[in-house]
Amino acid sequence: EVSKPELVQHESREQSLDEDLEREDLERTLSRLGPPDSDVVRLKHFDELTFEGIAQVLGITTKMAKTRYYRGIAWLQRELSAQLRESRA
């Protein structure tokens, strides 16, 4: 029988692996999106910057950072949905 700490540790490793695989899939998809939208999405999600911070790093306005972010997220949603449909077919 597996002890509870071993089970929790195993589940934690599986979750970590799943998260790594999801990030790899997301990175691959983001690379197809390309800059500048992918840069903004990466800074927002992976570096956890605010729109103001993103604007400062990239030398753009906060409004432009938001526009690129939402455009990038919309593209990602369409792309990932298509990939999911293909994998289920």
Side-chain angles (χ1 to χ4, degrees):
E1 184 174 313
V2 178
S3 70
K4 186 158 179 88
E6 289 175 357
L7 183 60
V8 169
Q9 191 176 30
H10 177 72
E11 288 174 353
S12 177
R13 280 194 303 261
E14 282 185 355
Q15 181 179 1
S16 178
L17 181 59
D18 287 346
E19 289 170 1
D20 289 346
L21 291 173
E22 288 174 13
R23 182 170 175 144
E24 287 177 19
D25 287 342
L26 185 56
E27 282 288 356
R28 244 188 322 278
T29 305
L30 274 172
S31 70
R32 290 200 326 267
L33 172 60
D37 297 347
S38 64
D39 296 334
V40 174
V41 172
R42 282 186 178 97
L43 290 169
K44 183 75 173 152
H45 284 280
F46 300 142
D47 296 336
E48 299 180 357
L49 294 181
T50 62
F51 288 118
E52 292 78 13
I54 294 168
Q56 187 175 16
V57 167
L58 297 179
I60 59 177
T61 65
T62 301
K63 183 177 179 180
M64 180 58 69
K66 289 178 183 180
T67 298
R68 290 179 180 174
Y69 173 76
Y70 291 115
R71 183 173 57 206
I73 291 297
W75 183 89
L76 274 174
Q77 287 174 332
R78 287 190 305 273
E79 191 66 21
L80 292 172
S81 290
Q83 289 177 18
L84 184 60
R85 282 192 304 276
E86 288 175 11
S87 71
R88 290 182 177 170

